[in-house]
Amino acid sequence: MFVELDLQSEVPIYKQLADQLVEGIASGTLAPGQALPSVRTLAADLGINLHTVNKAYQSLKQEGFLEIHRKKGVIVQPGPLPTADETFKTRLRRDLRPLAAEALVRGMNEQELTELMQTLYRSIQNPPSEGGTSR
Amino acid sequence: MFVELDLQSEVPIYKQLADQLVEGIASGTLAPGQALPSVRTLAADLGINLHTVNKAYQSLKQEGFLEIHRKKGVIVQPGPLPTADETFKTRLRRDLRPLAAEALVRGMNEQELTELMQTLYRSIQNPPSEGGTSR
DNA sequence: TTTTTGTTATATTTATAGTATAACAGATAG
DNA sequence: CTATCTGTTATACTATAAATATAACAAAAA
């Protein structure tokens, strides 16, 4: 698994995990329908508790990014992914707001900030060489 | 005071307060050198505990956005504000990353996302008329 | 001197994060 | 059918953060 956790981070590890799975889906590293490790396997693999993995899986299932079946295990959403509806955009704006404000206060202009976002977006969409060559 | 808190929010209220003060500085609503209410006054004003206000003030002092003097009270940084150094940009990227990833997964393209950021930046820089009529 | 200021010190409550076990129930492979 | 692996649920415990509640201290200014 490509997941890397920082146990010292202030960011909860279940969120780090969930974030990296979303990023995997975003980049195509995780294909629709692809199976993910079981909660126990991944927990052992990452050296954390199975409930922590389960919490990440549950939140992504709740959002519609994963499907979870009994013995089938956990798979990446094979059908249509959730959309950028108004609910999401509202939350997105709320989360971006303090970041944009601090960037502004610190003297970043509009172009610097949007370009940073652009660069970030592209680096996620086309990650810098993930083990395998193509897809 | 223009601060509005959502006590039901998952965002800690000390952070809501700190964020809104930063936004005030960003927009110019809070001018350099301007005095802020005392921790007790603002706490009473907002209906929260003085330690919660103090925590917000301390974090902003730590970052360099505020100065705190004994009897003088708290004032907006009159000198040069902190800059967008690499430390900040690294943190900024780390915080933006999961938001950009989810936006991407939900089908927002690069332009939509950067435009949303642009709109946000501008609305902070030039806020849509503060409640009061004059000044 | 008195008041107001930030500051420090405790203490308590509540919620979240993370771990640790254990057990349950459905699906599948043997 | 049986054994195993799956997600799931339940409980319990520890640690930490957030928020509140009092109280007191020390510096600055009126």
Side-chain angles (χ1 to χ4, degrees), chain B residues 26-97:
Chain B
S27 68
T29 304
L30 297 177
Q34 179 174 341
L36 294 181
S38 75
V39 290
R40 288 177 178 82
T41 301
L42 186 50
D45 196 19
L46 296 175
I48 61 178
N49 192 275
L50 99 175
H51 290 109
T52 306
V53 175
N54 190 247
K55 189 170 182 179
Y57 278 176
Q58 286 299 327
S59 70
L60 294 180
K61 168 192 172 190
Q62 187 63 28
E63 282 201 88
F65 295 131
L66 298 181
E67 275 187 5
I68 304 184
H69 305 91
R70 274 293 167 183
K71 173 77 173 183
K72 201 63 176 280
V74 181
I75 63 173
V76 177
Q77 177 61 252
L81 287 167
T83 61
D85 56 15
E86 267 313 309
T87 301
F88 168 70
K89 284 186 183 170
T90 297
R91 174 165 59 86
L92 181 59
R93 269 186 284 261
R94 189 202 61 185
D95 291 347
L96 287 179
R97 190 171 192 86

Side-chain angles (χ1 to χ4, degrees), chain B residues 118-131:
Chain B
Q118 210 174 57
T119 303
L120 202 51
Y121 184 96
R122 289 177 183 169
S123 77
I124 294 168
Q125 196 172 34
N126 204 325
S129 82
E130 199 65 45

Side-chain angles (χ1 to χ4, degrees), chain A residues 76-124:
Chain A
V76 177
Q77 177 60 253
L81 287 167
T83 61
D85 55 16
E86 267 313 310
T87 302
F88 168 70
K89 285 186 182 171
T90 298
R91 172 164 62 86
L92 180 60
R93 270 187 283 261
R94 189 201 62 185
D95 291 347
L96 288 179
R97 191 171 192 86
L99 300 175
E102 184 166 357
L104 173 50
V105 154
R106 286 178 180 267
M108 286 183 76
N109 62 31
E110 193 178 294
Q111 191 181 349
E112 285 180 278
L113 183 58
T114 54
E115 277 183 1
L116 189 146
M117 176 63 101
Q118 211 172 57
T119 303
L120 201 51
Y121 183 96
R122 290 177 182 169
S123 77
I124 294 168

